[in-house]
Amino acid sequence: MSEKIDRRRARTKQLLYQALMSLLTEQGVEHLTVTDITNRADVNRGTFYLHYKDVPDMLEQIKDEVFESIRSEVIQLDFKQAMACADRNEPYPISVAIFEQFALHADFLKAMFGTKGDLSYAHRFRALMAANIYEKMRYNPPSDLAVPFDYLIAYMTSANFGMLMHWIESGMKQTPAQMGAFMTKIINFGPLVAFGLRELPSVSSSSKPH
Amino acid sequence: MSEKIDRRRARTKQLLYQALMSLLTEQGVEHLTVTDITNRADVNRGTFYLHYKDVPDMLEQIKDEVFESIRSEVIQLDFKQAMACADRNEPYPISVAIFEQFALHADFLKAMFGTKGDLSYAHRFRALMAANIYEKMRYNPPSDLAVPFDYLIAYMTSANFGMLMHWIESGMKQTPAQMGAFMTKIINFGPLVAFGLRELPSVSSSSKPH
DNA sequence: ATCATTAATCAACATCGTGTTTATTATGGA
DNA sequence: TCCATAATAAACACGATGTTGATTAATGAT
């Protein structure tokens, strides 16, 4: 009853979505016009305005949906669980689930993070990761840093996000499970150890909970 | 003789530049119109086209100049020198010079890398760093990686670039010398050691030259 | 199956920014 | 001074926008 969806609305909305996606993969996020979208969707131009305010509005809605689908996974991350998985040398399931969610929206994200992409969207994902890492650190607050804490956050979010982008841009040759394993290793042991350039260092006293 | 610069050309070009910069810091790189720029510069709209093809062309020229000024410093980086400085616990001069060059163009870069920024420009700088790191690695080629080499590159370029962006976005509270010190530490010892979360690990055999 | 409701279409409109052109004015360098 | 060139002003066609009103078509409920 409360769910009343007119087939016509759903149909044209899907046509517009498909048209947008094909244009997005072709020419990136710039120079997207209502005229182009509606022409490709074989829909009257005026009809577009029955669904969206303008092109940025349409993009915003899709961005929100994709972001939310990933955010809902990210907030389930548990630092201790991830560490336990890393010690047992197995991928952390929630981490894998996140990569699967990314794979699901690969085309869209590839366009949004590609050369002609949307920097504000990248910032949004980085902010999500930062909040998450900050949450992790609260369990084991660092002190006596050789480099300020906010730089630690910037470093880690950018590094992880960079690997994610590289995965998407290079055609997702690794499975989500593999990527999850990479990420877990690097987060817990640092890049040099994870990449096999150094042995695992002995755990220092400063990383022990009080 | 060969250097013949009409004062009028130089004057209007500077007026256009100043107008562009003030608009850039106000509203980011999007929705920059010729009309807005020439209005703010108090210059006839037609005059703009005597200097630039269109707005992207004007941006491109400035982007090229700034990029080149930084690239010319980056290519002077020497891996061994940087390591030597790190061991003596002093900032690597060329690294400091790079940060000074960034500081020189802070306003422009802040706009280009901000929320409404230009992702293609960010990619360009990351590609520069990637080429540089790749060059470094050639002296000490890694083998037996737990994670593929291209992910190592993606990780490192993104991490370093992320710190750089954070420095710019947070108002450049650290001096170029301090930032150079941060960077040198992290590149050589990894983030966990650099941030003081672990002790310096013993150097493994895999990181020794043959 | 009917019918009122809602969606989609079509055509027209004013608006805005673009890039170009022409004629005119002014400024600079020699 | 005087020539070359830069800047101005006004006009133009073009393309995309966002809106409107009238019309046709499809849908869901009864």
Side-chain angles (χ1 to χ4, degrees), chain A:
Chain A
M1 291 300 149
S2 60
E3 294 296 324
K4 45 187 177 185
I5 335 145
D6 196 317
R7 291 177 191 170
R8 290 170 294 179
R9 286 197 71 84
R11 194 184 105 88
T12 56
K13 207 156 184 179
Q14 197 197 346
L15 286 173
L16 290 173
Y17 175 80
Q18 289 169 349
L20 178 74
M21 286 304 296
S22 81
L23 285 169
L24 211 48
T25 53
E26 273 179 26
Q27 64 186 48
V29 81
E30 279 182 6
H31 304 301
L32 286 173
T33 69
V34 174
T35 306
D36 285 347
I37 295 172
T38 51
N39 276 347
R40 184 158 304 201
D42 260 315
V43 159
N44 189 275
R45 189 169 65 86
T47 306
F48 179 92
Y49 296 100
L50 299 177
H51 294 266
Y52 303 104
K53 187 178 158 289
D54 49 23
V55 177
D57 178 51
M58 181 176 181
L59 272 174
E60 204 62 39
Q61 291 192 26
I62 300 174
K63 280 158 71 177
D64 285 349
E65 286 169 19
V66 172
F67 182 81
E68 183 51 36
S69 79
I70 288 159
R71 199 190 68 86
S72 66
E73 302 283 346
V74 167
I75 58 175
Q76 296 179 49
L77 279 171
D78 183 290
F79 190 33
K80 291 168 188 166
Q81 286 180 13
M83 278 189 66
C85 289
D87 289 339
R88 278 178 277 125
N89 203 32
E90 55 190 45
Y92 177 41
I94 294 181
S95 188
V96 176
I98 293 172
F99 278 98
E100 281 169 351
Q101 205 58 234
F102 268 96
L104 208 61
H105 303 289
D107 286 347
F108 181 71
L109 292 170
K110 193 169 181 176
M112 296 306 286
F113 296 147
T115 306
K116 292 286 179 188
D118 182 334
L119 202 47
S120 74
Y121 203 43
H123 277 83
R124 198 162 151 193
F125 275 94
R126 273 191 53 200
L128 173 64
M129 299 177 88
N132 191 50
I133 290 182
Y134 180 76
E135 201 61 30
K136 284 180 184 174
M137 290 293 161
R138 284 185 53 198
Y139 296 104
N140 192 10
S143 55
D144 270 356
L145 295 183
V147 174
F149 186 56
D150 51 335
Y151 280 91
L152 170 64
I153 299 282
Y155 184 95
M156 286 188 167
T157 57
S158 299
N160 290 331
F161 189 65
M163 286 187 71
L164 185 63
M165 281 179 59
H166 179 70
W167 180 55
I168 293 174
E169 283 171 3
S170 63
M172 302 195 301
K173 293 187 177 67
Q174 287 75 25
T175 64
Q178 280 179 302
M179 289 303 295
F182 292 175
M183 225 55 140
T184 310
K185 279 184 196 170
I186 294 174
I187 287 175
N188 284 282
F189 305 127
L192 292 185
V193 174
F195 286 112
L197 297 177
R198 281 196 203 272
E199 302 293 342
L200 179 65
S202 61
V203 176
S204 80
S205 58
S206 67
S207 67
K208 237 181 3 185
H210 68 286

Side-chain angles (χ1 to χ4, degrees), chain B residues 18-125:
Chain B
Q18 289 169 349
L20 177 75
M21 286 303 296
S22 79
L23 285 170
L24 211 48
T25 53
E26 275 179 25
Q27 63 187 50
V29 80
E30 280 182 4
H31 305 299
L32 286 173
T33 68
V34 174
T35 305
D36 285 346
I37 295 172
T38 51
N39 277 347
R40 183 159 302 204
D42 260 316
V43 160
N44 189 276
R45 189 170 68 85
T47 307
F48 179 93
Y49 296 100
L50 298 176
H51 294 265
Y52 303 104
K53 188 177 157 290
D54 49 23
V55 176
D57 177 51
M58 182 176 182
L59 270 175
E60 203 63 39
Q61 290 191 25
I62 300 174
K63 280 157 70 177
D64 285 349
E65 286 170 20
V66 173
F67 182 82
E68 183 50 38
S69 79
I70 288 159
R71 198 190 68 86
S72 66
E73 301 284 347
V74 167
I75 58 175
Q76 296 179 48
L77 278 170
D78 184 288
F79 189 34
K80 290 168 188 165
Q81 285 180 14
M83 277 189 68
C85 288
D87 290 338
R88 279 179 278 126
N89 202 31
E90 57 190 42
Y92 177 41
I94 294 182
S95 189
V96 176
I98 293 172
F99 279 98
E100 280 168 351
Q101 205 59 233
F102 268 97
L104 208 63
H105 303 289
D107 286 347
F108 182 71
L109 292 170
K110 193 170 180 176
M112 297 305 286
F113 296 148
T115 305
K116 293 286 179 188
D118 182 334
L119 200 45
S120 74
Y121 203 42
H123 277 83
R124 197 161 151 195
F125 275 93

